[in-house]
Amino acid sequence: MRGKRKWVSGMTDFVFLLPAFVLFTAVIAIPFIQAVGIAFTNWDGLSKTYQFNGLTNLTALFKDAQTANAVKNTLLYTIATCVGVNVLALAITVGLNANIIGARFLKSAMFAPIIASLVITAFIWGRIYGDVFPINFGMPTPLTNTKTVVLGIAAMCLWRDTGLAMVIYNAGLQSVPEELKEAARVDGANAWQTFWRVTFPMLAPAVTTCVTLWLGYGLKVFDYPKVATNGGPGKASETFCIFVYNHFFTNNRAGYGQMAALVMLIAVVIMTSAVTKILRKREVQM
């Protein structure tokens, strides 16, 4: 009887999971397997026939000068946004939790930009850079300068995403026992020492979450540079995702573009996994 109940329970779980499994297989698993195969062909994205070309696409990818440019732009954007969002969010969160008048309103105001989509954010800041900066501040838009365009795009991410990171850090701060802070103050610790020795170690899980999230977001960024500059001026803001898009859809080199996408996927998985593992170890040490 007990075995029959267990079998019925297992079948019930299977029936509930089956729709999600079928959807995952049809939408993600099968296309992914097909995409891996396409990466080793010379398909142009339109023809009904194509030939297997082995590692030709992979070899060409590492010899392509534009690959290095796209990687450089992507890494610069990732570092700027990952560091910027986390430092800003943590600093603002700690400041707003220091019994400041209107802290709740300020928290809501800081979170509000996350409501806007990435595309809308790029449009808004494209207009701000193009109209407000030259007229009100006498400053040229950073989007037309090859040296500042990536940082200008990164600022869009800081404006939109800092509020979300603040929510994560604020949740971490609320979990820090006041008794520990009070004990540190009784022992003579100043505000900075209390934060660095007591509060920050307790925020290790939040730091791991935020750093990993924005590392992944940065490595696969597409919307901001695509809408704001379309990878320009020239190729100065072409990220690796735009590089993949251009080859797959614009240059009719679907096989080459798919190989680039496959390499990007592997790189993102390795980098995010490694950073997460390192930060998790740090949590234990703290």
Side-chain angles (χ1 to χ4, degrees):
M1 192 70 175
R2 184 177 299 176
K4 184 177 180 180
R5 288 180 180 177
K6 187 176 181 180
W7 182 84
V8 172
S9 176
M11 286 301 299
T12 302
D13 294 341
F14 175 76
V15 169
F16 277 106
L17 290 173
L18 185 60
F21 176 76
V22 171
L23 184 64
F24 173 83
T25 302
V27 177
I28 297 179
I30 294 177
F32 176 76
I33 294 173
Q34 292 175 334
V36 172
I38 291 172
F40 296 92
T41 68
N42 64 349
W43 188 41
D44 61 6
L46 299 173
S47 302
K48 294 183 179 180
T49 60
Y50 46 83
Q51 289 81 39
F52 176 78
N53 63 3
L55 298 176
T56 301
N57 290 333
L58 183 63
T59 303
L61 180 67
F62 285 105
K63 291 182 179 180
D64 192 343
Q66 292 305 318
T67 301
N69 176 69
V71 170
K72 181 196 71 174
N73 293 336
T74 302
L75 291 178
L76 176 59
Y77 174 88
T78 302
I79 293 171
T81 54
C82 190
V83 174
V85 166
N86 281 279
V87 171
L88 275 176
L90 183 57
I92 295 172
T93 303
V94 172
L96 293 180
N97 277 274
N99 298 321
I100 295 177
I101 298 175
R104 289 186 178 180
F105 170 77
L106 292 174
K107 288 179 182 178
S108 300
M110 289 295 299
F111 182 76
I114 198 65
I115 299 173
S117 71
L118 277 69
V119 173
I120 293 299
T121 299
F123 273 121
I124 291 173
W125 276 91
R127 183 58 60 89
I128 291 174
Y129 282 144
D131 297 336
V132 177
F133 270 45
I135 296 174
N136 291 17
F137 304 110
M139 298 172 57
T141 171
L143 302 183
T144 58
N145 189 322
T146 58
K147 295 181 179 179
T148 60
V149 61
V150 174
L151 296 179
I153 295 172
M156 301 177 186
C157 175
L158 298 186
W159 176 78
R160 180 182 180 274
D161 291 4
T162 297
L164 179 58
M166 282 177 56
V167 172
I168 299 174
Y169 282 122
N170 188 65
L173 279 176
Q174 302 306 316
S175 66
V176 179
E178 285 295 329
E179 294 81 3
L180 292 179
K181 299 179 184 178
E182 186 61 32
R185 287 191 286 267
V186 169
D187 288 340
N190 56 32
W192 170 251
Q193 290 171 330
T194 301
F195 169 76
W196 187 248
R197 298 295 183 182
V198 178
T199 305
F200 187 72
M202 299 290 286
L203 289 175
V207 173
T208 300
T209 300
C210 287
V211 169
T212 305
L213 277 176
W214 273 273
L215 175 64
Y217 292 158
L219 291 174
K220 58 186 182 65
V221 64
F222 175 81
D223 308 68
Y224 292 134
K226 182 63 178 177
V227 175
T229 63
N230 196 27
K235 299 285 186 179
S237 63
E238 182 183 69
T239 61
F240 206 79
C241 266
I242 295 180
F243 176 84
V244 171
Y245 176 90
N246 286 339
H247 282 293
F248 202 105
F249 296 103
T250 306
N251 301 339
N252 293 330
R253 298 180 66 190
Y256 184 76
Q258 191 58 58
M259 177 59 76
L262 186 60
V263 171
M264 184 186 73
L265 172 64
I266 295 172
V268 171
V269 170
I270 291 175
M271 292 179 68
T272 53
S273 299
V275 170
T276 302
K277 186 175 182 179
I278 293 171
L279 292 177
R280 290 296 183 197
K281 284 185 177 180
R282 184 68 175 168
E283 288 180 26
V284 175
Q285 293 174 358
M286 287 183 171

